[in-house]
Structures are given as structure tokens and as C-alpha cells.
């Protein structure tokens, strides 16, 4: 279950060292998180533990994530931004 405290921790984790990630992650959490399945929510939370250079490479399409769940979440985030 995603309590307010847990979501607030994720909001803090969305604040990254790279502006490019900041403008993707926090708006996604605020606007699309509630629409995700419980499994997708867990995956998003896990994605937030990844290093900035990896996240940046994945969202920019420079590199493919080896973890299929994380790769699918990155695709979800990127496709939402492109809409």
C-alpha cells in the first residue's frame, strides 16, 4: 500500500541531480502514478533507486535497460511525455 509518507519519499527521490530527470519524474508521479497498477507503482519506486546516469541514458534512448520491468516503466514515462 502506498501511504502518504511513502509517496512523499518518492517525491523527494524524484528530485535528481539532472534537470532533464526532474522534469520527467516528478510530473509523472504527480499526474500518472494513481493510474498505475500496484506492480507498476512498485517498479516506479524501484526505478527511483537507479543512478542518474543510467536513468538519463534510458530515457534519452542512448541505452536499453537490462531489467524488463524497469525498461517498460521507462517506456511508460517517456510515452506519457510525448503525448
Amino acid at each position: 500500500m502506498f501511504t502518504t509518507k511513502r509517496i512523499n519519499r518518492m517525491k523527494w527521490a524524484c528530485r535528481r541531480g539532472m534537470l532533464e530527470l526532474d522534469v520527467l519524474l516528478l510530473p509523472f508521479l504527480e499526474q500518472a502514478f494513481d493510474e498505475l497498477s500496484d506492480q507498476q507503482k512498485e517498479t516506479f519506486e524501484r526505478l527511483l533507486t537507479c543512478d542518474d546516469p543510467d536513468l538519463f541514458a534510458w530515457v534519452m534512448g542512448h541505452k536499453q535497460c537490462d531489467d524488463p520491468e524497469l525498461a517498460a516503466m521507462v517506456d511508460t514515462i517517456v510515452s506519457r511525455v510525448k503525448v
Side-chain angles (χ1 to χ4, degrees), residues 1-14 16 25 28-29 33 36-51 55 58 69-70 73-74 77:
M1 179 175 202
F2 285 87
T3 62
T4 301
K5 185 176 181 179
R6 192 171 175 186
I7 291 173
N8 285 338
R9 276 192 297 242
M10 285 192 293
K11 284 181 183 179
W12 183 257
C14 285
R16 312 303 288 210
L25 297 176
F28 181 82
L29 177 65
F33 187 76
L36 300 176
S37 69
D38 288 341
Q39 179 61 42
Q40 289 174 312
K41 289 177 181 180
E42 296 281 345
T43 302
F44 180 75
E45 186 175 37
R46 192 162 56 92
L47 183 73
L48 295 177
T49 66
C50 297
D51 294 330
L55 284 172
W58 298 336
E69 287 181 344
L70 292 180
M73 181 54 59
V74 168
I77 293 168

